[in-house]
Amino acid sequence: MAVGDLSMPIMHPVKGVRIGIAEAYIRYKNRKDLVVFELAASANTAAVFTTNAFCAAPVQVAKANLAQANSRYLIINTGNANAGTGTTGMTNALRSCAALAELAHIQAEAVLPFSTGVIGEQLPIAKLEAGLPAALAALQEDNWSAAATGIMTTDTLPKGASEQFTVDGVTYTITGISKGAGMIRPNMATMLGFVATDVAVERGLLQSLLAEVTEQSFNRITIDGDTSTNDACVLVATGAAGNPLMTERNGALYEAFFAALQRSFLRLAQLIVRDGEGATKFMTVKVEGGANTQECCDVAYAVAHSPLIKTAFFASDPNWGRILAAIGRSGVPNLDVSKINVYLDDVCICENGGAAVSYREELGAAVMKQPEITIRIVLNRGEANDTVWTCDFSYDYVKINADYRS
Amino acid sequence: MAVGDLSMPIMHPVKGVRIGIAEAYIRYKNRKDLVVFELAASANTAAVFTTNAFCAAPVQVAKANLAQANSRYLIINTGNANAGTGTTGMTNALRSCAALAELAHIQAEAVLPFSTGVIGEQLPIAKLEAGLPAALAALQEDNWSAAATGIMTTDTLPKGASEQFTVDGVTYTITGISKGAGMIRPNMATMLGFVATDVAVERGLLQSLLAEVTEQSFNRITIDGDTSTNDACVLVATGAAGNPLMTERNGALYEAFFAALQRSFLRLAQLIVRDGEGATKFMTVKVEGGANTQECCDVAYAVAHSPLIKTAFFASDPNWGRILAAIGRSGVPNLDVSKINVYLDDVCICENGGAAVSYREELGAAVMKQPEITIRIVLNRGEANDTVWTCDFSYDYVKINADYRS
């Protein structure tokens, strides 16, 4: 029950990136479950990973390899997360890199492995290795859409973003894919993102740009707060566009590139919420007038994680009492509830901590009927603002995650 | 779908406490929704209240009155929480105290008001006031069971605890009631607890004993983490038993009294979880071997709040990957997952951060079939332990809280 338009855009190829997809029978038959990205020698690669202490073997290996060598290949398998697999899991993650390195005649540290799928089962490494030659043979630039499908787990639709922008007569490209249904199905691990551009960007700058756009996109979405063990997002700058290496945050190209990067990441992140398991509503939680970003996020997440609010939105119930209660428990110091106003889109449902005088049930009901709703919370205690995106909480959510194994 | 035996025990009257119940038509007809406790002049009263910044008017008035006078009466209404009601709500809470004070010829500050029910609607104070004479006329010692029913909101059953113990030939009594379905229904506020004993206890000691037993009972249960706006728990020591005023934590009477107090509070707290909305499983989350209490609680709550784990338990799915993932995101510093063991009752499902060698699916499945299950998490990094109680997450949970208003 995806919310909004999740259709794939035209996925422009990115010079310097080729993608190969193959069927490795990791978990299911008749589905391509192995994706290999080949990156140009000139490419700089940046990545961010899950903060979960219980992080998967491939996450640990990817982190280490990224620090040791210039990345030339990414291997992504679906069907198995290689998480909770102990030393055998580490060995298998390293083996996958070594196997590809041997085939590609590069060092193993130049390969970053990513896995998504069942937690706690050993990765069928022999099957993965057997699938690598086919994936390499399939390498081509125009394979982004197939890759978006190849990395899906419980996603109902492939997720992609792609745009081109022109600066000084030169056209540049940003294209990326993501996967994840926000929640993880029984034993399924969740979000991955892979974005590439042909803009030449210095590696340190690329990492800081990735960190910044991720903070405002993938780090601002939640379905239930259950951080996955395998989350990872990679940004590759191939440099194939031939611009002078971008090393600073200034200039027309930087401005255009960064804006496109923000749009692409926001789309890829929001697509995950729109495809959230059982989602029937796409909710934007805006907190304004906070003393600082932290308390804005604390309030936004208290609201976005509240099963009470999420079930009320599923029922199209403009339940402002639950919203105020969540704000009240968000841990913001010295919060003066009597200063708080809450809006559903443009309808003020709550002012000065109580029912808005102008509020009428039918106004709230009209807003709640929509598939996309903004909850705007005005704290009136400072200048900071922040936004989090989430979805509602439906019967299907329970059904999908209770997994009757029928 | 309450889990386990929630039947009311024999509710022993407590000398020095009389209870009157009346029908005030606060929200529903044909139900007694107004409860008045009359406390002996000799009684000492202690109370703890919600930490929610958005706390209801009666909570604010009860806090203030408790500090200003020796409490002689408690007024509890169900059907309306008098929360999110602004200054009118404060006025109404104060009016309820003044009205009872006038009838009872005492000062208004000697009355503590409590409300539970709809958030954001004004308390029908005239109806409440009109009901007070009937409640006072109905005062009698043996009314605890009726009171337990009188304070219910979405509870499926009244909740009570009562026991007597004998020290040096004198028999003492502790009797208490609680309400709350753990979650709050659309616009319904939640947990209340009222406990009385005839033991004479100095007020300061009584407050510290209440704080301690509450911390290990009501403060260790969760259904969804949505702290209510009206939570309150009151402990009254009437002194009617005639023992020398207890002022210190020593002696045979103290030992027996404190043990009985702990048992009573734990029962009253666990009854709320057992009656949790849609609950089909009663889950005890034990965390052992932590460096300190805080991190044990952080891990326990991460597990107890995880919709992934709660839906898995609803499905009787021994999903240890989800448990490890929740532990991993609990924010414990420098957590070494490879030292963690997880047990379902006595079945080790996970050792050293991975699948237990001895584990077989049928062993976990057998445990999960039970209505009551203990998740024991051994961190192996210190000597601290703690325990939290919660329930699973079912279709009925969504149904009850989505409130189709059909």
Side-chain angles (χ1 to χ4, degrees):
Chain A
M1 284 193 291
V3 183
D5 178 13
L6 280 70
S7 58
M8 289 287 280
I10 295 166
M11 297 292 279
H12 305 288
V14 177
K15 287 198 198 66
V17 175
R18 294 198 307 160
I19 306 169
I21 298 97
E23 191 170 350
Y25 311 98
I26 300 292
R27 185 172 184 80
Y28 303 104
K29 287 183 177 175
N30 307 318
R31 79 156 285 180
K32 301 206 166 167
D33 52 10
L34 181 63
V35 177
V36 171
F37 280 69
E38 175 199 66
L39 313 179
S42 61
N44 282 326
T45 301
V48 289
F49 300 95
T50 180
T51 58
N52 196 314
F54 174 61
C55 70
V59 169
Q60 300 174 54
V61 172
K63 278 183 181 173
N65 286 0
L66 187 65
Q68 288 173 50
N70 191 26
S71 304
R72 296 298 315 282
Y73 288 89
L74 315 178
I75 305 179
I76 309 120
N77 73 270
T78 185
N80 184 300
N82 192 8
T85 47
T87 52
T88 306
M90 284 298 291
T91 304
N92 288 337
L94 291 167
R95 265 184 65 179
S96 67
C97 298
L100 181 56
E102 188 176 348
L103 293 167
H105 309 295
I106 52 156
Q107 62 180 126
E109 291 73 16
V111 182
L112 306 184
F114 303 88
S115 296
T116 182
V118 180
I119 291 178
E121 292 182 15
Q122 293 300 341
L123 181 68
I125 185 65
K127 290 180 178 177
L128 187 150
E129 288 172 340
L132 287 175
L136 290 174
L139 286 171
Q140 60 185 71
E141 280 195 340
D142 193 9
N143 241 346
W144 283 92
S145 293
T149 304
I151 64 172
M152 287 167 57
T153 49
T154 60
D155 307 65
T156 66
L157 294 161
K159 300 169 176 63
S162 184
E163 64 179 274
Q164 295 187 313
F165 55 95
T166 302
V167 177
D168 300 335
V170 182
T171 297
Y172 300 89
T173 302
I174 292 181
T175 298
I177 59 175
S178 63
K179 62 89 33 181
M183 276 286 281
I184 61 177
R185 193 179 187 170
N187 300 326
M188 293 291 174
T190 179
M191 179 254 148
L192 293 175
F194 302 96
V195 179
T197 179
D198 54 1
V199 177
V201 185
E202 181 271 325
R203 187 170 173 175
L205 175 60
L206 192 69
Q207 182 67 44
S208 77
L209 294 177
L210 172 62
E212 182 173 340
V213 293
T214 299
E215 184 63 17
Q216 295 303 325
S217 57
F218 291 114
N219 288 351
R220 288 293 186 275
I221 61 172
T222 181
I223 306 297
D224 75 322
D226 269 304
T227 310
S228 147
T229 54
N230 291 55
D231 289 348
C233 185
V234 176
L235 175 60
V236 176
T238 67
N243 62 290
L245 187 68
M246 183 186 297
T247 58
E248 293 182 340
R249 289 172 173 250
N250 54 44
L253 176 55
Y254 163 75
E255 299 298 340
F257 170 62
F258 189 63
L261 201 60
Q262 287 178 306
R263 286 192 298 271
S264 300
F265 270 69
L266 199 56
R267 172 179 165 84
L268 290 172
Q270 291 184 352
L271 284 170
I272 289 173
V273 174
R274 291 177 180 281
D275 197 23
E277 288 174 350
T280 72
K281 294 261 198 314
F282 178 78
M283 299 155 61
T284 299
V285 184
K286 277 190 180 179
V287 178
E288 302 176 355
N292 52 58
T293 297
Q294 185 58 54
E295 70 180 36
C296 291
C297 288
D298 290 345
V299 168
Y301 279 114
V303 169
H305 287 155
S306 166
L308 285 175
I309 294 169
K310 292 156 90 74
T311 48
F313 272 65
F314 171 52
S316 297
D317 173 14
N319 194 317
W320 63 268
R322 291 183 176 187
I323 295 171
L324 282 185
I327 296 167
R329 69 169 169 82
S330 62
V332 173
N334 310 315
L335 184 63
D336 182 352
V337 178
S338 71
K339 290 183 175 174
I340 296 176
N341 300 335
V342 180
Y343 300 79
L344 292 179
D345 286 359
D346 298 331
V347 177
C348 181
I349 56 173
C350 175
E351 59 195 348
N352 307 325
V357 176
S358 61
Y359 181 67
R360 302 198 314 283
E361 190 72 15
E362 58 268 33
L363 295 175
V367 174
M368 294 300 283
K369 281 203 188 77
Q370 309 171 117
E372 305 195 16
I373 300 162
T374 295
I375 304 172
R376 188 161 65 92
I377 298 159
V378 184
L379 299 177
N380 284 313
R381 53 187 259 140
E383 299 306 314
N385 305 320
D386 218 307
T387 303
V388 163
W389 295 274
T390 191
C391 60
D392 63 333
F393 210 171
S394 69
Y395 289 114
D396 280 5
Y397 164 98
V398 177
K399 183 177 184 180
I400 292 165
N401 289 289
D403 175 33
Y404 284 109
R405 298 183 167 183
S406 54
Chain B
M1 285 193 290
V3 183
D5 177 14
L6 279 71
S7 59
M8 289 286 281
I10 295 166
M11 298 291 280
H12 305 287
V14 178
K15 286 200 197 64
V17 175
R18 295 198 307 162
I19 306 170
I21 297 96
E23 191 169 352
Y25 312 97
I26 300 291
R27 184 171 184 80
Y28 303 105
K29 288 182 175 175
N30 307 316
R31 79 155 285 178
K32 302 208 166 166
D33 52 11
L34 181 62
V35 177
V36 170
F37 279 70
E38 175 200 64
L39 314 177
S42 63
N44 282 326
T45 301
V48 289
F49 299 94
T50 180
T51 57
N52 195 314
F54 174 60
C55 72
V59 169
Q60 299 174 55
V61 172
K63 279 182 180 174
N65 286 359
L66 188 65
Q68 289 173 51
N70 192 25
S71 305
R72 294 300 313 282
Y73 288 89
L74 314 178
I75 306 179
I76 309 119
N77 74 272
T78 185
N80 184 302
N82 192 7
T85 47
T87 53
T88 306
M90 284 297 293
T91 305
N92 288 337
L94 291 166
R95 267 184 64 177
S96 68
C97 297
L100 182 57
E102 188 175 348
L103 292 168
H105 310 295
I106 55 159
Q107 61 181 129
E109 291 73 15
V111 183
L112 306 184
F114 302 89
S115 296
T116 182
V118 180
I119 291 179
E121 293 181 15
Q122 293 299 344
L123 182 68
I125 185 64
K127 290 181 178 177
L128 188 151
E129 288 173 339
L132 287 175
L136 290 173
L139 287 170
Q140 61 185 71
E141 281 196 339
D142 193 8
N143 242 348
W144 283 92
S145 292
T149 304
I151 63 173
M152 288 168 55
T153 49
T154 60
D155 308 65
T156 66
L157 295 161
K159 301 169 176 63
S162 185
E163 63 178 273
Q164 295 188 313
F165 56 95
T166 302
V167 178
D168 299 336
V170 180
T171 297
Y172 301 88
T173 302
I174 292 181
T175 297
I177 59 176
S178 63
K179 62 86 39 179
M183 274 287 280
I184 61 177
R185 194 177 186 172
N187 299 327
M188 293 291 174
T190 178
M191 178 253 147
L192 292 174
F194 302 96
V195 179
T197 179
D198 53 0
V199 178
V201 185
E202 181 272 325
R203 189 171 172 174
L205 174 61
L206 193 69
Q207 183 67 43
S208 77
L209 294 178
L210 172 63
E212 181 173 342
V213 293
T214 300
E215 183 64 16
Q216 295 303 323
S217 56
F218 291 115
N219 289 351
R220 287 293 186 276
I221 61 173
T222 181
I223 306 297
D224 76 321
D226 270 303
T227 310
S228 146
T229 55
N230 291 54
D231 289 350
C233 186
V234 176
L235 175 60
V236 175
T238 68
N243 60 290
L245 187 68
M246 184 186 298
T247 59
E248 293 183 341
R249 290 172 173 248
N250 55 43
L253 176 54
Y254 164 75
E255 299 297 341
F257 171 62
F258 189 64
L261 201 59
Q262 287 178 304
R263 286 191 299 271
S264 300
F265 271 68
L266 198 56
R267 172 180 164 85
L268 290 172
Q270 291 185 351
L271 284 170
I272 289 175
V273 174
R274 292 177 181 282
D275 196 23
E277 287 173 350
T280 72
K281 295 262 200 309
F282 178 78
M283 298 155 61
T284 299
V285 184
K286 278 190 178 176
V287 178
E288 303 177 356
N292 52 59
T293 297
Q294 186 57 52
E295 69 179 37
C296 291
C297 288
D298 290 344
V299 168
Y301 279 115
V303 170
H305 286 155
S306 167
L308 286 176
I309 293 169
K310 292 157 89 75
T311 48
F313 272 65
F314 171 52
S316 296
D317 173 15
N319 194 319
W320 63 267
R322 291 183 175 187
I323 295 171
L324 281 186
I327 297 168
R329 69 169 169 82
S330 63
V332 173
N334 310 316
L335 184 63
D336 181 354
V337 177
S338 71
K339 288 183 175 175
I340 296 176
N341 300 334
V342 180
Y343 300 79
L344 293 179
D345 287 357
D346 297 331
V347 177
C348 182
I349 56 174
C350 175
E351 60 194 347
N352 307 323
V357 176
S358 61
Y359 181 65
R360 300 197 316 282
E361 190 72 14
E362 58 267 34
L363 295 175
V367 173
M368 294 300 284
K369 282 204 187 76
Q370 309 170 116
E372 305 195 15
I373 300 163
T374 296
I375 304 172
R376 188 162 65 91
I377 298 160
V378 184
L379 298 177
N380 284 314
R381 52 187 261 140
E383 299 305 315
N385 305 321
D386 219 305
T387 303
V388 163
W389 295 273
T390 191
C391 60
D392 63 334
F393 209 171
S394 70
Y395 289 115
D396 281 5
Y397 164 99
V398 177
K399 184 176 184 179
I400 292 166
N401 289 288
D403 175 35
Y404 283 111
R405 300 183 167 182
S406 55

